Amino acid sequence: MTKIYLYTRYERFWHWIQALLIVLLLVTGLEVHGVYTLLGFKRAAAWHESLGVTWLVLFAFFVFWLFTTGQWKQYRPTTRKLFEVIRYYAVGIFRGEPHPVKKHPDAKHNPLQRLTYLGLAALLLPVQMISGLLYWTYNQWPAWGLGFLSLDAVAVVHMACAFSILIFFVVHVYMTTTGHTLTAHVAAMFSGWEEVEEGEVEDWERARKGA
Amino acid sequence: MGWIWRTALLLAAVLLAAPGVPGAAEEPPGGGKEAQGRVMARQATKEQQLWITADHTKHEALKKPFASGPEVTQACLSCHNQAALQFHRTIHWTWLDPSEPPERKVGKGGLTVNNFCVAVPSNEPRCTSCHAGYGWKDKNFDFNDPAKVDCLVCHETTGTYKKFPTMAGNVVTEPTVFPEDKVEYLPPDWNAVAQSVGRPARNNCGSCHFHGGGGDGVKHGDLDSSLTNPVKSLDVHMGTKESGGQDFDCARCHTTKLHNIAGRIYSTPAAKERKSLVQDDLTSKITCESCHTATPHKSAKMNDHTDKVACQSCHIPEYARVLPTKMYWDWSTAGKMKDGKPFKTKGPLGKPSYDSKKGDFVWDEKVVPEYYWFNGSITNTTAKDKIDPSRTVRLAWPVGERSDPNARIMPFKVHRGKTPYDPVNRNMLIPHLFGKDDAAYWKSYDWNAALKAGMDYVGLPYSGRYEFVETEYVYPITHMVAPKDKALACEQCHARVGRLAGLAGFYMPGRDGSRLLDWLGWGGAAAALIGVALHGLGRAFSRRKKEDNQ
């Protein structure tokens, strides 16, 4: 076992703020959807709007950071070792086998994580933000030449993304317990330091490659 | 602009890494600027001043002895020489919709039928006590006679001038008791009422409009004698100053040009343009937007509603908040006798529940309105129109649909009932109810004779057969505007089953959503939870096994 500094202060800040925003957006959004009554429709909707706009601003910072630091390369999708990772979570984890992909500051994510986070950051969250922004600006559509849109469709897309994020959230929280101890991954997300098994990272796994 | 405030707050909290975010998500502090229209209205009503340049007690023409209303009218017209000519062209005189072709005769003075006392023709003396004229007792009334205009009913300010209910708009010449309610009517002190004339006050308008249908609050539900001197909580504009209200009289909003009073006229919207005094300081004041503009709220999201939701929908949560109003009238049960005599039964709320002359009634108070798309027009059914008796006949119904840019969701009182129609000719029937002749229903209780007499009177065919059909008649709810803290909460409509549950064709957050998507979404979330739970159990189990093996 060895300790490595895996997550920078900005990444940790970004991660937890986003987590907080997503939880609050889910709580207020589901109330607006009529699932339960907590804050009352008016306050739920107002908070949902404000939280959404806040998230949008922070997401813009994240994207900026991602491209200026080159960290986007951590998210390059690959199928190499993908099935080994899947096999690990399906079988190996029960047998006490080691994780097939080692972590390294240049290779923070295994292939399954890369695909998941890329899908999240490049597809699901942008679609969610755009559909939310459209939903919010519903009254301006005709003035913006978007009169052809239907609120029905936008709402369905927004809701479908919300459910997807909820499902991701459930699985993601569970996956944090799959480190060598139950709290190892979570602790790393707070301190930045993660205790990982020693081992070499292959060249192709490194983000730095081709930089 | 509420979101900027909240967003700034959130960002500040986030950047300072503060754990929590302060509560209150309501409105920006300090508030925005007040609408110009409201400032102007407040200025205009700040002081009760003399609005006119004449003191009518000093006019010689009003000091001479009068024996009748028309003589007073002549005196008025000796100075106001255009008044009768103007008035003759207004709906208050013709009781006909000027925008409809004359041959359709739309209007209570024509062939329009309602589900209260049904129609005016052949019943004039009982109905036209609310006509601003003298002596409209049958179809021979001279609508061109200037002296027949009743100036006093709208303009006298003593409150003593009362037209007798069954005398075609005339007043009594000696003290007379009206047998139905035992109220005594006195001949007016002509000089006193004539010299008192001024701008119409709530009493003047209310003498008819509060009592439509022959009794207090019968017809409208949002217009009854509780508005004569209301508290602010009943009507934020008309409420007395002492109760914190604005003390508006009717004419404050129902502005008038040449005796044409702004307001609803059947198929024509009361106001075609939704302009505010900010945009055009000569605009008539009949819509809420005239004073409040289309963006009256501090919150932008709330203002986003005004293109599709009438102000009344949220700001008049209930009508008939003080006095009950009639909700249902079943004519088919009329005519029952007790010991060979007609009788009345008093029901809950102190209002009649049965009357041999009229049938069964249902009254209600604090009524939640029904909501429909409304572009300002209302369709009316006349006794000539073909109806479909297989379903409820909409004698008056709001026009508008979601796609209509001028239509908004508007609250309505819907008065329902059973009303006579001709099953052979398939049209509504006009009954001859009132009169001393044997054909009058209220004398002989013979529907066939009454309906024949009524239809003969208006020159329309009657097959000799009649039945009763369910009917609906709407009134837009637009008075009794509650103070803003009593306005509807969002979730009254934004809920799975809310006030707008019946309005289809548009997506409303909190109410609508794809049931399939909800099912898939919650199913997926549940599957994920079960999946990770099983995976976790598996891990715990395999770990223990391993530990046992070691």
Side-chain angles (χ1 to χ4, degrees):
Chain A
M1 284 290 192
T2 180
K3 271 200 160 191
I4 55 170
Y5 190 63
L6 212 49
Y7 307 110
T8 62
R9 191 182 297 184
Y10 175 74
E11 284 169 287
R12 284 174 281 145
F13 162 79
W14 149 252
H15 172 269
W16 288 114
I17 285 299
Q18 173 157 261
L20 178 72
L21 288 174
I22 285 178
V23 169
L24 293 177
L25 279 162
L26 275 171
V27 168
T28 52
L30 287 171
E31 176 162 9
V32 169
H33 190 56
V35 178
Y36 45 75
T37 302
L38 203 68
L39 299 171
F41 185 92
K42 185 179 181 176
R43 298 213 305 177
W47 274 108
H48 194 74
E49 285 165 10
S50 304
L51 290 161
V53 173
T54 309
W55 194 22
L56 206 65
V57 173
L58 287 165
F59 195 74
F61 277 102
F62 168 69
V63 172
F64 180 76
W65 171 85
L66 210 56
F67 283 97
T68 49
T69 59
Q71 285 293 308
W72 61 273
K73 289 180 187 135
Q74 301 267 15
Y75 296 87
R76 271 197 303 216
T78 175
T79 53
R80 290 172 78 171
K81 283 197 182 175
L82 175 63
F83 295 100
E84 289 166 53
V85 173
I86 291 172
R87 197 203 138 271
Y88 167 75
Y89 285 117
V91 182
I93 194 168
F94 300 114
R95 297 187 180 161
E97 291 171 11
H99 198 288
V101 179
K102 302 287 174 271
K103 284 187 191 219
H104 184 271
D106 287 341
K108 293 174 188 173
H109 305 139
N110 68 50
L112 194 59
Q113 282 176 306
R114 290 190 194 195
L115 279 181
T116 309
Y117 297 153
L118 180 69
L120 204 66
L123 199 70
L124 187 57
L125 299 188
V127 170
Q128 182 66 333
M129 288 171 183
I130 289 165
S131 62
L133 204 58
L134 282 172
Y135 200 142
W136 185 47
T137 55
Y138 165 69
N139 281 60
Q140 274 65 54
W141 292 358
W144 293 349
L146 297 171
F148 59 90
L149 279 172
S150 98
L151 186 60
D152 269 67
V154 170
V156 161
V157 168
H158 197 64
M159 209 50 221
C161 291
F163 277 127
S164 308
I165 293 169
L166 175 65
I167 291 166
F168 164 79
F169 184 82
V170 169
V171 177
H172 183 70
V173 168
Y174 170 73
M175 294 300 273
T176 63
T177 67
T178 61
H180 72 277
T181 68
L182 283 181
T183 54
H185 289 331
V186 176
M189 217 57 225
F190 277 108
S191 67
W193 290 89
E194 176 141 20
E195 208 175 3
V196 297
E197 283 179 55
E198 282 172 77
E200 266 310 296
V201 173
E202 286 176 48
D203 228 23
W204 62 267
E205 289 176 305
R206 289 178 187 274
R208 206 178 285 139
K209 192 191 161 203
Chain B
M1 294 292 101
W3 71 267
I4 291 181
W5 171 242
R6 277 186 301 272
T7 303
L9 239 180
L10 272 168
L11 275 171
V14 156
L15 294 172
L16 293 170
V21 178
E26 296 300 294
E27 278 168 353
K33 265 179 88 178
E34 199 169 27
Q36 186 65 13
R38 299 182 71 185
V39 176
M40 288 162 71
R42 197 162 299 135
Q43 276 171 358
T45 55
K46 205 160 66 183
E47 288 169 48
Q48 275 298 344
Q49 299 159 321
L50 189 63
W51 282 75
I52 47 177
T53 51
D55 180 349
H56 284 83
T57 62
K58 298 204 164 71
H59 277 304
E60 287 308 315
L62 299 178
K63 288 179 180 168
K64 67 176 192 186
F66 296 111
S68 72
E71 287 176 31
V72 178
T73 299
Q74 297 279 17
C76 299
L77 296 179
S78 67
C79 291
H80 301 275
N81 56 27
Q82 296 300 298
L85 296 173
Q86 290 170 0
F87 192 70
H88 279 173
R89 289 196 283 267
T90 71
I91 196 168
H92 271 98
W93 179 255
T94 63
W95 284 11
L96 288 170
D97 181 354
S99 67
E100 289 278 354
E103 63 276 10
R104 263 206 87 205
K105 295 189 177 168
V106 173
K108 59 172 158 271
L111 298 173
T112 293
V113 289
N114 62 45
N115 55 8
F116 294 88
C117 282
V118 186
V120 174
S122 80
N123 305 304
E124 285 88 348
R126 183 67 184 89
C127 304
T128 58
S129 57
C130 265
H131 187 239
Y134 297 112
W136 180 1
K137 65 181 193 331
D138 56 34
K139 56 186 170 185
N140 299 318
F141 180 64
D142 183 1
F143 282 92
N144 293 316
D145 184 350
K148 291 280 198 291
V149 173
D150 183 350
C151 308
L152 293 171
V153 71
C154 298
H155 291 284
E156 75 91 24
T157 61
T158 67
T160 62
Y161 181 80
K162 299 225 158 57
K163 312 225 266 185
F164 196 75
T166 59
M167 283 171 54
N170 286 312
V171 290
V172 293
T173 49
E174 53 192 73
T176 313
V177 172
F178 181 55
E180 271 184 33
D181 57 9
K182 312 281 185 291
V183 172
E184 187 181 39
Y185 288 76
L186 301 171
D189 177 345
W190 288 112
N191 292 112
V193 294
Q195 289 167 21
S196 79
V197 294
R199 279 161 43 92
R202 286 181 292 216
N203 260 329
N204 298 96
C205 309
S207 66
C208 283
H209 291 282
F210 294 165
H211 302 273
D216 201 357
V218 167
K219 276 192 172 174
H220 291 272
D222 64 334
L223 277 178
D224 58 42
S225 66
S226 68
L227 286 180
T228 307
N229 213 15
V231 290
K232 183 187 173 186
S233 60
L234 179 61
D235 191 298
V236 72
H237 302 110
M238 294 173 74
T240 56
K241 289 260 164 92
E242 303 85 73
S243 65
Q246 302 286 325
D247 206 17
F248 285 7
D249 57 25
C250 309
R252 174 65 46 202
C253 297
H254 293 268
T255 48
T256 302
K257 276 184 198 156
L258 308 178
H259 278 104
N260 264 303
I261 299 167
R264 183 174 84 81
I265 36 171
Y266 301 96
S267 49
T268 320
K272 283 185 177 164
E273 276 187 308
R274 290 174 176 271
K275 270 186 175 174
S276 73
L277 290 161
V278 175
Q279 295 159 286
D280 173 6
D281 66 4
L282 292 176
T283 195
S284 70
K285 292 184 191 168
I286 196 63
T287 68
C288 308
E289 281 165 49
S290 309
C291 294
H292 293 279
T293 77
T295 53
H297 308 106
K298 283 171 188 159
S299 143
K301 227 351 147 198
M302 302 268 272
N303 285 334
D304 277 352
H305 287 74
T306 61
D307 60 336
K308 291 291 172 195
V309 184
C311 307
Q312 290 91 330
S313 289
C314 300
H315 290 275
I316 312 176
E318 290 171 341
Y319 59 89
R321 294 209 289 276
V322 174
L323 298 172
T325 187
K326 196 174 278 187
M327 299 303 294
Y328 190 79
W329 181 331
D330 181 358
W331 275 103
S332 72
T333 58
K336 289 183 216 163
M337 298 292 152
K338 208 182 251 174
D339 308 323
K341 278 185 179 162
F343 67 100
K344 287 183 190 180
T345 314
K346 213 163 205 174
L349 308 174
K351 293 289 183 180
S353 58
Y354 182 77
D355 183 339
S356 299
K357 288 166 116 181
K358 299 171 182 178
D360 280 298
F361 303 133
V362 176
W363 294 71
D364 202 359
E365 57 184 0
K366 301 182 178 65
V367 191
V368 172
E370 296 179 29
Y371 299 86
Y372 299 101
W373 288 101
F374 182 51
N375 67 12
S377 303
I378 287 186
T379 60
N380 283 270
T381 301
T382 71
K384 270 179 167 174
D385 297 330
K386 286 280 172 261
I387 58 148
D388 175 5
S390 67
R391 47 178 157 178
T392 303
V393 178
R394 293 173 162 178
L395 296 179
W397 203 252
V399 182
E401 52 185 80
R402 155 124 179 104
S403 58
D404 181 344
N406 285 325
R408 281 157 179 74
I409 295 167
M410 179 84 181
F412 287 89
K413 169 187 170 175
V414 184
H415 181 260
R416 299 190 161 86
K418 282 188 179 177
T419 320
Y421 78 102
D422 187 327
V424 179
N425 295 329
R426 288 161 81 95
N427 52 254
M428 303 307 297
L429 290 168
I430 291 177
H432 175 46
L433 300 167
F434 178 83
K436 293 198 164 63
D437 54 309
D438 282 339
Y441 184 76
W442 289 341
K443 186 154 190 296
S444 308
Y445 295 93
D446 178 348
W447 274 121
N448 218 9
L451 294 167
K452 181 170 189 334
M455 293 303 272
D456 281 350
Y457 184 89
V458 294
L460 290 175
Y462 172 52
S463 72
R465 283 187 56 202
Y466 68 90
E467 280 170 28
F468 294 87
V469 63
E470 294 277 356
T471 52
E472 295 176 308
Y473 194 95
V474 289
Y475 287 98
I477 293 297
T478 190
H479 304 95
M480 297 186 180
V481 177
K484 65 178 171 188
D485 57 304
K486 297 274 192 325
L488 280 194
C490 306
E491 51 268 27
Q492 291 275 345
C493 297
H494 291 280
R496 288 286 152 96
V497 183
R499 290 196 176 201
L500 301 187
L503 280 185
F506 63 99
Y507 184 94
M508 187 166 71
R511 182 190 72 170
D512 299 317
S514 159
R515 294 293 163 254
L516 175 68
L517 176 62
D518 283 355
W519 196 88
L520 286 174
W522 290 119
L529 258 180
I530 292 167
V532 299
L534 289 176
H535 197 268
L537 275 176
R539 279 169 57 212
F541 188 71
S542 63
R543 196 166 141 203
R544 193 178 304 157
K545 219 166 78 179
K546 241 183 303 175
E547 280 165 5
D548 289 350
N549 289 347
Q550 278 166 4

